[in-house]
Amino acid sequence: MVTRTKDRPVMLARAAASIGAQTFEDYCWVVVNDGGDEQEARRIWEQSDVPSDRRRFLSNPRSKGMEAASNQGVDAASSDFVVIHDDDDSWEPTFLEETVGFLQSDEGQLYGGVVTHSTYVSELVRENEIVRLDEKPYQNKLTHIDLDTVIDRNLFPPISFLFRRHILEQIGGFDEGLPVLGDWLFNMEFLLRANIGVLPKPLANYHHRDKPGSTAPEYQNTVVGSLALHQKYTAIVRNDFLRRNIGNSAVTFRLALSGASPGPADSHSSQARHEAQALPMVQTLSRGDGDLSWTISTINAKLAERKLGTLLKYRKLRPLQPNASWSTVLPLLSELELRVPPPRDFDEQAYLTAYPDVAEQVRAGNQKSGFNHFLMHGRHEGRVRASGEFVPAPQAALSAARPDGAASQVGPIFDSLPMTRSSHSADGFDKVLHVAHHEWHGIRQATAYSPGHKLLISAHEAIDVDGKKMIAEEISRLGVERICVQGYSSNADALLLFLRSALGPNVKFYMVSHVNSAQFDHHFEMQVIAKLLSRRRFGVLDGIASVKPNFGDAIEGFWRGTIINYAPNIPMVSGRRSEQVEVYAPLDVGWRKNLYTNLLGASLAANVDLVKTANFPNGLEDIYDLAKLRLVGYLRGRDLLDEMARSSLTLVATLAECQPMTQLESFAVGTPSLTGPLDVAEFADDPLVRLCTTYHLDNPALLAKDIERIVDVVRDNPAEMEGMIASHLASRHGFATRSYADFLEL
């Protein structure tokens, strides 16, 4: 067992514990201190639970690199088997016992090495403490390992791979000229000489500090901290392998370049599919480079068309480079709405037969073809590429299942029409996803009107693992780089932790709170704030903000600015106001909403004819004449907006409020709305805000005077009122965009 380390004592100590806990004891552990603090590394090595006769220590004054350190460690001891135990990874206690046992068994004689399933662990390092954030299965659908697939991508981490020493000696060790991806090249060379078996047990833990900026550089994974280097060397390593072996690996060379996997002959396809019905779902990888090259050529052919309409419509688009990545190709494919003809090694009919849900989408015109679906969605959903063998996959549905088998009405939903039809748009927000809750109307509507993609989840019905995986896949497909959670629930917290682990370092996570301190009488709200601050402190969240002005001055850890809410992006329609003066209180019964004071003040106003209310105030009739009062019920959506449009004034003079969406919805239809002092600094000099603010929140007689003042303007000078509202909305939306852009670091 070789452990390479450099100035990572916290990690090395965990690696030592991992090895010391093994139930198999016939081993030698070699630590190679590659240019780090020798004294500290040696101290951890000496204090480990590994007996002194089973450990070696090597130290390089200057770093020689990971692969050179690996070769040093291998040469320092003799053994039948070798495994690289990186200093930041760990094993389950039976890893060695079960992997060695497998290779020593009768079945194991077929293989030169064995790989176990792994667990991906997301973590960060804070003040010499490892904080575990989340974990998920990693490559746990792996059932076999073939060379052409490994040429496409590396399938397993070193921590999960135990192999026979004599195969390593045939290869000549690890390539010391590579700064990264040496294990991938080694795996390809290994498969040229021997097979690798799979032990389907999660015995290896693949640890990642995948939150950028939250962990010191020395503790970062190379795959996270040196992402650009990995991208650069991907082609170099693959090409180097092919050049080395072109003489004795012509078939592999062809597979890697063309992406075509030689499937069974046509006469066997039907039987192969029939036999596959009884097999469990196996996640296989497409021969990615072939499909990618095919798609690039199709897009470039479309852009090169000499048709006038094509030239004009796509004049700003440039042909793709031959080495373009999927992240570049798929958005362009979607923009062009192009049907990519299936290549010869893709069985279109078999794919549609295997996946009836896709076939239905194609029939309905929602998908261009089965191959288009595979390119855009199927690759990420784990669907089997149609090259002759298929296993039906469960229908992909972003909805939670109810016990009765019916689809949940509060399952996760992306970009539904109600959440997008009244949204604003702004540059850069196509990379933003807002996450809100079905059940929380006000916050949901604040989310709906903001620019960016939308995801609705339930505050109460938990999302299962498959649902979380599909959410992560859709986020990746959309190219999201910022995720902003609006309001916080235990479900949102669980999803946040999962996505932080699944999406890696290129996605940042934020949260907007719509809570004010008056709500702290509910202990739940304080618990939520405490959890948010903890998530921010440990780097799970990149930022927390509030729609309450100066909330960050009171609660340390919040962004110091104020998130400005958007009003719905709908046209303001004139001429719908009722001839008599009607005012509308669309409020719940409750002291914070202040329904009674609003109704009493409106009834006292001399210029008001009718007072409409969503909830009848029980018992008020015993002490007051309610002749003006009319019950219209609790309204939502278009009905709510219509009722506001018929009114001269909407009453939202509450005792505890941030930036009420009810007011903004009322403004959007051209009706003023009365609130208590919101004190948003950006609108300190706004004439509409001054007109629509009351300081008489618990005095109906004085509130009546404020209501009369607004109604007089609406009745006597409607054009002035319409102008004030239009001006306010224009400035509000500018402020709102800037506040979100600053907070989300766009």
Side-chain angles (χ1 to χ4, degrees):
M1 298 174 293
V2 177
T3 297
R4 313 164 292 193
T5 190
K6 180 182 179 182
D7 293 330
R8 306 208 291 189
V10 175
M11 299 296 178
L12 183 59
R14 180 174 63 188
S18 166
I19 290 166
Q22 291 299 299
T23 55
F24 181 89
E25 297 181 347
D26 185 11
Y27 64 75
C28 179
W29 179 39
V30 182
V31 172
V32 182
N33 174 51
D34 191 34
D37 184 335
E38 178 179 349
Q39 184 177 358
E40 180 70 1
R42 186 181 290 276
R43 180 187 63 79
I44 295 170
W45 172 79
E46 290 176 343
Q47 293 178 359
S48 70
D49 292 333
V50 178
S52 59
D53 61 340
R54 284 197 244 142
R55 50 182 163 89
R56 306 279 188 278
F57 186 87
L58 306 175
S59 188
N60 300 323
R62 294 182 180 179
S63 174
K64 295 183 177 182
M66 289 190 296
E67 310 315 325
S70 295
N71 290 334
Q72 270 187 285
V74 171
D75 293 341
S78 60
S79 62
D80 295 321
F81 306 111
V82 175
V83 60
I84 304 298
H85 189 308
D86 281 337
D87 64 352
D88 60 340
D89 292 327
S90 64
W91 285 328
E92 296 303 308
T94 61
F95 175 88
L96 287 179
E97 180 181 350
E98 298 198 47
T99 53
V100 171
F102 176 86
L103 289 181
Q104 290 180 333
S105 69
D106 291 341
E107 180 186 1
Q109 301 313 304
L110 296 171
Y111 303 102
V114 61
V115 166
T116 71
H117 288 176
S118 304
T119 300
Y120 182 107
V121 180
S122 176
E123 62 190 20
L124 54 81
V125 178
R126 282 277 195 253
E127 298 178 355
N128 294 321
E129 178 186 4
I130 300 174
V131 181
R132 200 177 184 112
L133 302 177
D134 197 11
E135 62 181 50
K136 64 175 181 176
Y138 182 75
Q139 297 293 30
N140 67 332
K141 295 185 182 297
L142 203 62
T143 57
H144 63 278
I145 297 171
D146 54 84
L147 177 57
D148 59 313
T149 302
V150 172
I151 291 175
D152 182 49
R153 69 182 285 224
N154 202 7
L155 287 181
F156 50 87
I159 190 66
S160 69
F161 183 28
L162 179 90
F163 50 88
R164 301 185 192 275
R165 174 182 285 268
H166 70 86
I167 307 295
L168 175 142
E169 292 171 346
Q170 291 176 26
I171 297 170
F174 296 90
D175 190 328
E176 298 182 6
L178 291 174
V180 292
L181 300 180
D183 59 313
W184 182 29
L185 179 59
F186 179 81
N187 296 341
M188 288 189 277
E189 293 285 359
F190 194 100
L191 284 163
L192 278 179
R193 295 163 174 84
N195 294 313
I196 298 176
V198 176
L199 190 58
K201 296 182 179 181
L203 300 177
N205 300 308
Y206 190 30
H207 296 259
H208 277 68
R209 275 71 58 207
D210 46 17
K211 167 71 175 65
S214 65
T215 296
E218 62 269 20
Y219 283 112
Q220 292 183 2
N221 306 73
T222 59
V223 72
V224 175
S226 305
L227 182 59
L229 201 60
H230 275 253
Q231 293 171 339
K232 174 181 176 180
Y233 272 85
T234 294
I236 292 174
V237 167
R238 186 186 290 118
N239 292 339
D240 188 28
F241 169 76
L242 293 172
R243 279 192 293 267
R244 290 183 188 182
N245 299 287
I246 188 170
N248 61 3
S249 302
V251 173
T252 301
F253 185 65
R254 179 183 66 80
L255 286 173
L257 290 186
S258 70
S261 94
D266 290 347
S267 60
H268 299 298
S269 296
S270 177
Q271 181 179 358
R273 287 195 298 274
H274 175 74
E275 292 173 349
Q277 304 300 313
L279 298 175
M281 171 63 182
V282 178
Q283 180 177 356
T284 65
L285 299 166
S286 71
R287 311 309 183 212
D289 289 347
D291 285 343
L292 181 56
S293 300
W294 182 269
T295 307
I296 289 171
S297 64
T298 304
I299 289 174
N300 286 344
K302 177 67 175 178
L303 295 177
E305 280 184 7
R306 304 307 299 170
K307 296 178 183 178
L308 180 61
T310 301
L311 290 173
L312 291 175
K313 186 174 182 180
Y314 304 124
R315 63 186 182 276
K316 295 182 179 180
L317 300 179
R318 295 184 177 183
L320 293 166
Q321 296 295 319
N323 62 346
S325 64
W326 281 116
S327 61
T328 303
V329 170
L330 292 183
L332 186 56
L333 179 61
S334 177
E335 182 176 351
L336 292 171
E337 299 181 340
L338 184 62
R339 183 186 186 276
V340 181
R344 288 192 301 173
D345 67 308
F346 186 88
D347 190 337
E348 173 79 7
Q349 187 55 49
Y351 188 80
L352 296 179
T353 301
Y355 301 110
D357 57 319
V358 179
E360 180 59 34
Q361 290 183 47
V362 173
R363 281 193 295 271
N366 298 324
Q367 289 290 336
K368 301 289 184 184
S369 67
F371 185 62
N372 267 64
H373 177 275
F374 177 76
L375 295 177
M376 298 294 294
H377 309 286
R379 295 169 54 252
H380 305 294
E381 294 173 356
R383 306 208 189 211
V384 181
R385 190 185 187 280
S387 54
E389 298 182 10
F390 299 91
V391 185
Q395 181 172 352
L398 283 176
S399 59
R402 291 205 309 236
D404 60 6
S408 170
Q409 298 303 304
V410 291
I413 301 174
F414 274 94
D415 288 336
S416 62
L417 182 60
M419 290 296 289
T420 58
R421 61 189 171 198
S422 301
S423 296
H424 290 265
S425 60
D427 290 343
F429 282 82
D430 57 325
K431 303 295 186 183
V432 174
L433 172 69
H434 297 276
V435 181
H437 298 80
H438 292 276
E439 300 92 337
W440 299 344
H441 171 76
I443 301 175
R444 189 185 71 209
Q445 296 311 104
T447 307
Y449 307 144
S450 301
H453 295 286
K454 315 293 164 46
L455 169 63
L456 279 177
I457 64 173
S458 171
H460 310 299
E461 290 192 30
I463 308 170
D464 60 22
V465 174
D466 288 340
K468 292 175 185 175
K469 288 180 179 177
M470 295 197 60
I471 289 172
E473 290 162 0
E474 183 68 6
I475 289 170
S476 297
R477 188 188 70 80
L478 293 171
V480 167
E481 296 175 359
R482 300 287 191 275
I483 295 177
C484 184
V485 182
Q486 302 273 356
Y488 215 63
S489 66
S490 57
N491 275 352
D493 186 63
L495 180 61
L496 168 68
L497 294 175
F498 179 90
L499 294 178
R500 167 59 78 188
S501 172
L503 298 177
N506 295 324
V507 179
K508 291 189 172 184
F509 294 81
Y510 301 84
M511 190 273 169
V512 173
S513 172
H514 296 254
V515 171
N516 63 69
S517 54
Q519 293 169 279
F520 286 177
D521 71 324
H522 291 299
H523 188 59
F524 165 78
E525 300 293 359
M526 286 191 282
Q527 289 178 317
V528 168
I529 295 292
K531 179 174 284 188
L532 288 172
L533 293 173
S534 175
R535 297 292 187 231
R536 177 73 179 94
R537 189 177 306 116
F538 288 106
V540 180
L541 282 167
D542 293 278
I544 315 169
S546 174
V547 299
K548 191 71 174 174
N550 303 109
F551 201 73
D553 293 340
I555 309 295
E556 186 176 356
F558 273 68
W559 185 57
R560 289 302 180 93
T562 303
I563 293 295
I564 307 297
N565 283 338
Y566 288 85
N569 185 20
I570 57 178
M572 190 185 302
V573 181
S574 303
R576 299 171 63 185
R577 189 164 291 126
S578 176
E579 290 186 5
Q580 63 178 350
V581 176
E582 301 178 3
V583 297
Y584 176 36
L587 303 169
D588 294 316
V589 174
W591 73 266
R592 291 188 190 88
K593 295 300 182 182
N594 204 26
L595 175 65
Y596 289 79
T597 305
N598 277 276
L599 296 183
L600 287 169
S603 296
L604 284 171
N607 54 5
V608 171
D609 300 313
L610 192 66
V611 182
K612 300 176 292 187
T613 177
N615 293 281
F616 204 89
N618 295 324
L620 188 61
E621 66 276 8
D622 294 337
I623 62 172
Y624 194 79
D625 181 5
L626 301 181
K628 290 185 179 181
L629 209 58
R630 296 291 184 274
L631 182 67
V632 298
Y634 195 62
L635 304 177
R636 283 287 175 257
R638 177 53 56 188
D639 293 333
L640 174 67
L641 296 178
D642 286 345
E643 197 63 67
M644 289 175 172
R646 285 191 291 268
S647 305
S648 297
L649 176 64
T650 303
L651 299 173
V652 198
T654 61
L655 289 165
E657 196 59 84
C658 295
Q659 295 174 53
M661 292 312 303
T662 308
Q663 182 191 52
L664 301 185
E665 290 168 334
S666 183
F667 285 166
V669 298
T671 298
S673 178
L674 183 65
T675 72
L678 303 179
D679 293 322
V680 179
E682 288 80 355
F683 306 122
D685 298 322
D686 189 297
L688 179 69
V689 171
R690 288 203 303 268
L691 178 67
C692 291
T693 298
T694 180
Y695 292 88
H696 306 121
L697 296 174
D698 59 354
N699 190 320
L702 296 178
L703 180 64
K705 300 300 180 183
D706 291 329
I707 292 173
E708 290 173 349
R709 174 168 47 87
I710 300 172
V711 169
D712 282 342
V713 178
V714 174
R715 184 184 57 193
D716 299 338
N717 200 337
E720 179 187 354
M721 177 59 71
E722 186 173 318
M724 280 194 292
I725 292 176
S727 176
H728 171 79
L729 291 180
S731 63
R732 168 175 284 275
H733 298 150
F735 283 129
T737 299
R738 286 193 289 276
S739 71
Y740 266 111
D742 290 346
F743 172 56
L744 299 177
E745 303 173 280
L746 294 178

